Amino acid sequence: TVHGNTGGLKSGLLRGLERLYRRRCPPEALVTNDLAREMARLAAACNRQVGVLIDRGGSVELVLVGDHKSILIPVLPQVRSGRGRLKGLRCIHIHLAGEPLTQDDLSDLLFLRLDCMAAITVDAEGLPRQVHAAHLVPSSLAIDKPAPEDGGPAAKPAGKPWRLIEPQHPAEIQRRVDFRELVAALEGEFARLRPLAEVDKGRDRAILISVTTASKRLAQESMDELVELARSDDVVVLDTVIQQRRRIHPRWIMGKGKLGEIMLRALVLNANLLIFDQELNPSQIRSITDHTELRVIDRTQLILDIFARRARSREGRLQIEMAQLKYMLPRLTLRDDALSRLTGGIGGRGPGETKLEIDRRRINDRLAKLARRLRQVADERHRRRQRRRKKGLPVLSLVGYTNAGKSTLLNSLTKSDITAEDKLFATLDPTSRRLRFPRDIEVIVTDTVGFIRNLPAELLQAFRATLEELYEADVLVHVIDGASPRCRDQVRVVEELLADMDLDRLPMIRVLNKVDLLGAGQAARLARELEAVPVCALDRATFGPFIERAAALVEEKWRAVSGGGQSAAVLEDTA
């Protein structure tokens, strides 16, 4: 098949273009003089650019026809598309106006990882004149700093990512340039620069990207958080890229030149994944993946994947599946022109449903089924809370930013062994434990999922059944990560989310955790500024002031609600 702008061409020209598939180039030749002459003749007859994609064996893979000024390369077959390798194809095309390689040519060379891009100019008689060619240059990247922990080195661009070959006549370039040797040297250089760690261990290797109109400080803080999210999802972080723009590009997010730079960096570092800090719409994801051939996800999808890994309970898995399906539904892009289902009978004959429509309907059916199951879960939780209320036990709910130490504090308070790790979203499933205060007051302490800035709306909606625990709380305990340099911003994010959920009406104690990582004076100043009680969740000796304040608030709230007194009945642990 001849691809591209073939409309209006005579059958004789089409047959001539189809015959290009029969031609072969020696593997060591970039292009032969005979092939160049035949392509120039056909381009002059069509008055359109003609191009071919040739594999390393010398066979013509695709024949392309453009307009007078340009040529469009379609979606390429998955030939040698392994991570970190060149594509294994070179593009040769005719420039009728006599211009050298254009910026679009060089962009295609970079985005598609072609072995080489060549443009052949023609003279007044329509004969090939010169070959202008370029190839990627791995040595244009200076590897100068190692990525933290187990990642490979990070690349910093130094100059253009391609090298131009001196323009020559097709016969001369065939004689002087050994193309097979050139490609072998290029891939050898890429392989030499490519890090070996984690290549074969099944872990994703990602470059993290932030394109923002915010200040540099805010962009860096958000990127630092994205790095922690990626590591929580067991992703090897190879490099980070922050680009500040006045306006976000509606199609590419960033500039096309910056995207090309990232593509070459991914080639050198053997990356297989790009993670964007901003939420991408479906068309942006499609535009980037069509040109990069790398997997592309955004912050929301990364958080959903972390939740899918960590959810253990039946309820948690239902909630995560619902959130993922809601995120996926508007991003279905599968196009299938074949009719998947035909109907029969009077009034039923027609095109039927496409595969895309069937997928959407199945997702909506699944969402309805999950919603019914989650309503059942909410009812079960409501009944458990009613039994808890009958036993006369007040409830303290731990809230806070993810990785602030809520689970560790619950373990220390109640001598439990809930999973607690130094990772974002290490604990997802809500947990309740009984605690007896010194003044013979028994309470239930509950731990819920942590918050984070830009928390996906799909998650908040899906976790409604879990977050309903907070509405039954008598006192909220806001656990603050005192060791974080962004703790003030984290406090603001959490309390804004609580206000959005209409939970700011409940009594709340602020607890400044991880004071063991701060100096005594710094911890005291920060505690006064945030009006918080300083504690170290690992040291029960620091819990005295917090327990006193919590007991006083519980007594005050419980007297106001129940008129005093409570049962000493033992509550069965629920997890």
Side-chain angles (χ1 to χ4, degrees), residues 14 30 36 44 50 63 82 91 124 138 216 226 235 242 377 445 475 479 483-484 495 510 575:
L14 286 173
L30 173 62
V50 171
V63 177
C91 179
K216 185 175 182 181
L226 186 65
V235 173
I242 297 177
V377 169
V445 184
V475 176
V479 183
S484 171
E495 297 190 354
R510 287 181 178 176

Side-chain angles (χ1 to χ4, degrees), residues 92-284:
I92 316 293
H93 63 297
I94 303 296
H95 276 190
L96 295 171
E99 72 275 20
L101 289 170
T102 64
Q103 188 61 43
D104 285 342
D105 293 332
L106 296 171
S107 296
D108 286 339
L109 169 69
L110 183 54
F111 289 145
L112 302 177
R113 295 183 295 159
L114 298 174
D115 290 353
C116 185
M117 172 65 75
I120 302 175
T121 58
V122 295
D123 57 22
E125 298 178 358
L127 296 175
R129 183 179 179 185
Q130 283 187 322
V131 178
H132 297 261
H135 59 80
L136 296 178
V137 184
S139 58
S140 66
L141 293 183
I143 309 298
D144 57 3
K145 68 171 185 178
E149 299 180 1
D150 51 1
K156 292 297 178 184
K160 294 181 179 179
W162 53 73
R163 178 180 297 149
L164 300 176
I165 298 175
E166 181 184 356
Q168 301 172 63
H169 189 273
E172 283 295 309
I173 205 167
Q174 180 181 355
R175 184 172 59 86
R176 293 185 177 184
V177 176
D178 189 325
F179 182 71
R180 181 167 52 185
E181 184 178 311
L182 172 64
V183 171
L186 288 175
E187 289 216 324
E189 183 68 8
F190 277 120
R192 185 183 67 81
L193 293 175
R194 189 177 307 136
L196 298 178
E198 305 299 336
V199 171
D200 298 318
K201 294 187 179 180
R203 298 177 65 187
D204 282 318
R205 301 169 56 81
I207 294 177
L208 310 188
I209 304 167
S210 174
V211 184
T212 179
T213 57
S215 66
K216 185 175 182 181
R217 180 185 66 83
L218 292 176
Q220 187 59 55
E221 288 179 358
S222 186
M223 176 58 74
D224 293 342
E225 196 167 80
L226 186 65
V227 170
E228 292 302 317
L229 285 170
R231 288 179 179 151
S232 292
D233 205 26
D234 202 27
V235 173
V236 179
V237 178
L238 299 176
D239 200 5
T240 61
V241 178
I242 297 177
Q243 186 184 42
Q244 292 177 279
R245 293 176 63 90
R246 293 181 180 176
R247 185 176 64 88
I248 301 298
H249 196 287
R251 183 181 180 190
W252 303 103
I253 310 297
M254 62 182 66
K256 200 171 181 181
K258 189 69 173 180
L259 183 60
E261 175 189 313
I262 291 172
M263 273 301 301
L264 189 61
R265 197 176 303 187
L267 181 63
V268 170
L269 298 178
N270 199 13
N272 69 327
L273 180 65
L274 301 180
I275 302 178
F276 281 80
D277 194 28
Q278 290 70 34
E279 185 167 347
L280 306 179
N281 62 45
S283 64
Q284 290 168 338

Side-chain angles (χ1 to χ4, degrees), residues 510-515 523-524 527-528 532-536 542-543 545-546:
R510 287 181 178 176
V511 174
L512 184 66
N513 190 23
K514 305 182 184 180
V515 293
R528 284 195 303 271
V533 181
V535 302
C536 171
T542 63
F543 291 174
F546 159 63

